[in-house]
Amino acid sequence: MLRRPRRNERVASVSERAIPGPVGEIAIRVFTPTGGGEPRPILLYFHGGGWVLGGLDTHDDVCRTLANRSGVLVVSVDYRRAPEHRFPSPLEDCCAAACWCAAHGAEIGGDGARLAVAGDSAGGNLAAAVALQFRDQGGPGLALQSLIYPVTNWGFDTASYHQYAGGFGLTRDMMRFFWKSYLANPPDGGSPYASPLQAEGLAGLPPALVLTAQYDVLRDEGEAYAARLAQAGVPVQCT
């Protein structure tokens, strides 16, 4: 039976700290699960909200649940948001946070050598982009990328975009607004770090778990990304 996250689920500890970022400090919130010992694997979580909305508080319950049910240390990242901070600023913060956890994981009870990234919607986009950038530019190794109904492409013409354009929560018009807020220049939408689905090749990326929702404008692009990962030889499970 599917168990929904509980409100304010008890974990062993929750702590906040500021870590160095590209243009100042980045706030993170660290969730230590109940039971077990240290050091634990580290899962960086990037919240959704169209790169515009959301923060540490909106996804607090999700991170608590993830920590307890997985047994790993969850680090929620308060990256800069659009439109004040457009692409690639949010991605730069997420990469910086992942690099910090790889190098300083022991300071928070984690194992920086066992590192994964996850996120929902725009956060799933950022998680996929972090994995791509680390592969391309020699960043820390990642054990997993968990992409929850991820945004993978700057485009609005898939079947799911038309079928669920309105009336199902996230609308096509909302996604147009979010993309317009995120991109300083429309051509940036063609960058694989903005649109992972447009990357020339996906070989060499970490294993992926891709979760999509049936009644969602983002469904088809998430499943298309999972299919391309599999074609490139990346271990992937798409649910």
Side-chain angles (χ1 to χ4, degrees):
M1 179 182 293
L2 179 66
R3 294 180 298 156
R4 296 173 62 87
R6 294 197 297 268
R7 296 286 295 173
N8 200 31
E9 182 172 340
R10 182 187 293 263
V11 293
S13 67
V14 179
S15 61
E16 297 190 11
R17 65 189 299 164
I19 62 175
V23 293
E25 293 184 329
I26 302 169
I28 61 171
R29 185 173 293 171
V30 181
F31 301 83
T32 303
T34 57
E38 297 180 355
R40 298 175 182 272
I42 300 172
L43 175 69
L44 285 103
Y45 195 87
F46 310 129
H47 65 80
W51 307 283
V52 174
L53 307 172
L56 299 180
D57 292 337
T58 60
H59 287 64
D60 187 88
D61 288 329
V62 171
C63 291
R64 288 171 179 268
T65 297
L66 277 175
N68 276 345
R69 295 186 191 176
S70 67
V72 305
L73 198 74
V74 176
V75 177
S76 184
V77 180
D78 192 26
Y79 56 85
R80 288 173 289 166
R81 287 176 290 282
E84 293 83 2
H85 305 284
R86 299 177 184 265
F87 172 82
S89 296
L91 175 58
E92 291 172 347
D93 285 358
C94 292
C95 288
C99 289
W100 186 90
C101 285
H104 300 276
E107 297 179 22
I108 54 175
D111 181 358
R114 294 184 291 167
L115 193 66
V117 292
D120 62 286
S121 194
N125 169 276
L126 292 168
V130 168
L132 277 166
Q133 187 159 316
F134 281 3
R135 181 202 65 176
D136 296 342
Q137 301 180 15
L142 298 174
L144 175 71
Q145 50 177 327
S146 183
L147 314 178
I148 305 168
Y149 37 86
V151 181
T152 67
N153 192 46
W154 180 52
F156 312 95
D157 292 322
T158 62
S160 61
Y161 253 116
H162 288 283
Q163 190 171 3
Y164 307 116
F168 295 88
L170 180 66
T171 68
R172 181 166 58 181
D173 285 344
M174 290 168 65
M175 282 305 304
R176 290 186 186 276
F177 166 78
F178 287 141
W179 272 110
K180 185 177 180 180
S181 300
Y182 186 45
L183 300 177
N185 302 290
D188 288 341
S191 166
Y193 303 136
S195 296
L197 190 59
Q198 297 192 36
E200 289 187 8
L202 300 179
L205 287 169
L209 170 65
V210 181
L211 307 178
T212 59
Q214 181 176 358
Y215 304 108
D216 181 16
V217 293
L218 302 176
R219 183 196 66 198
D220 289 354
E221 64 192 73
E223 294 177 1
Y225 193 63
R228 282 205 58 206
L229 287 168
Q231 292 167 2
V234 176
V236 59
Q237 177 179 330
C238 183
T239 300

